[in-house]
Amino acid sequence: MPFKAVVFDAYGTLYDIQSVAAVTEQAFPGHGDIITQIWRIKQLEYTWLRSLMQRYEDFAVVTRDSLIYTLRILGLPPDSATLDRIIAKYLDLDPYPDARAALAAMKPHRLAILSNGSPAMLGALVKASGFDTLLDAVISVDARQIFKPSPEAYALIEQTLGLAPSDVLFVSSNPWDVCGAKAFGLSVAWIERVTPQAMAAACIKTELVAPLTLFKALRTQMDELGFAPDYRIAALSDLPEIASQHEP
């Protein structure tokens, strides 16, 4: 079956969310890593909680609230100027090194992003990275006011691109996103950046588990939800070969 479009998650897939660590460390020396990991965990939790509670706020609000939570529980002062400076990094996250070449190599497929990010956040991010010249659409769940992995979020692909789920390859490094997209009926490629073997090795090296190691254990390993990806890849650079086998 040919894929007419390849649709990407943004945060953690095309853009490295760990790149905020440099900013958090600069703002709170010695706390940068733990801030980064707790912040991301709570950010995701708040998207799921707000969806379940039917109390939607866009991703900019969720991102700010989860950072305030993180700083508060660590006993760090969350003044407005510091919050703004840290959150601004989400508008200019570092792309993964292979992202641009992978996107460029996948034409003539239509390329798009489907993200929890708000339209303003995604617009700034895509422009800062220069990916606006490569993408045909940037889709925010804000249009449905519910976060992934709700089926309503993935339905925006068909609504925006006019393509059935069978025409689309969805790409994410986030296991919960992979499960949600697969449950919806999309073909899915999972970027498995951390293997279980590497995870196990990292955990037995020391009795003290580093914040980043714990984050990888919680958020980078495939979830037991009854759904598996169609493709398991190690990096974005592996995608063009898959796409070439399913050209429209």
Side-chain angles (χ1 to χ4, degrees):
M1 291 289 292
F3 296 128
K4 296 179 181 178
V6 183
V7 179
F8 298 82
D9 169 59
Y11 302 117
T13 300
L14 290 177
Y15 299 95
D16 185 3
I17 55 172
Q18 297 299 327
S19 63
V20 303
V23 181
T24 56
E25 179 62 25
Q26 184 182 48
F28 298 100
H31 294 87
D33 189 22
I34 193 167
I35 291 171
T36 299
Q37 310 319 323
I38 295 175
W39 183 15
R40 177 59 172 167
I41 288 171
K42 295 305 292 188
Q43 182 191 53
L44 291 173
E45 278 188 17
Y46 283 0
T47 63
W48 302 328
L49 288 170
R50 285 196 170 278
S51 292
L52 287 168
M53 294 163 60
Q54 298 182 4
R55 293 292 185 269
Y56 179 83
E57 294 284 355
D58 75 23
F59 201 62
V61 173
V62 168
T63 298
R64 192 177 190 87
D65 287 348
S66 53
L67 178 57
I68 290 171
Y69 168 93
T70 300
L71 297 179
R72 176 172 55 79
I73 66 146
L74 294 174
L76 301 171
D79 63 272
S80 295
T82 301
L83 286 173
D84 291 344
R85 188 166 71 253
I86 295 174
I87 291 171
K89 182 60 179 175
Y90 257 87
L91 307 181
D92 189 20
L93 290 169
D94 298 350
Y96 281 96
D98 55 350
R100 173 174 289 280
L103 289 171
M106 280 187 284
K107 294 293 187 180
H109 294 86
R110 295 169 70 184
L111 304 177
I113 281 175
L114 171 67
S115 173
N116 280 340
S118 68
M121 292 177 74
L122 292 172
L125 182 62
V126 168
K127 184 175 181 179
S129 63
F131 291 176
D132 53 336
T133 62
L134 298 169
L135 295 166
D136 297 291
V138 178
I139 308 167
S140 168
V141 301
D142 195 62
R144 288 288 180 94
Q145 297 203 340
I146 193 165
F147 294 106
K148 295 187 290 181
S150 168
E152 293 182 53
Y154 301 104
L156 285 166
I157 295 174
E158 183 172 6
Q159 178 182 318
T160 304
L161 300 180
L163 298 175
S166 59
D167 293 328
V168 176
L169 176 65
F170 184 77
V171 183
S172 182
S173 67
N174 297 297
W176 55 268
D177 197 16
V178 168
C179 293
K182 188 63 185 172
F184 181 75
L186 296 164
S187 294
V188 183
W190 175 41
I191 306 175
E192 186 182 12
R193 292 199 170 101
V194 184
T195 66
Q197 294 79 10
M199 196 72 257
C203 290
I204 64 173
K205 287 180 181 178
T206 175
E207 293 182 1
L208 297 176
V209 179
L212 180 56
T213 302
L214 182 60
F215 175 84
K216 289 178 178 178
L218 293 173
R219 291 288 177 260
T220 67
Q221 305 303 296
M222 184 50 59
D223 290 300
E224 295 293 332
L225 293 171
F227 297 96
D230 300 280
Y231 307 94
R232 298 167 76 116
I233 59 178
L236 288 163
S237 56
D238 295 333
L239 277 173
E241 182 178 355
I242 295 172
S244 69
Q245 296 169 2
H246 299 273
E247 290 188 352

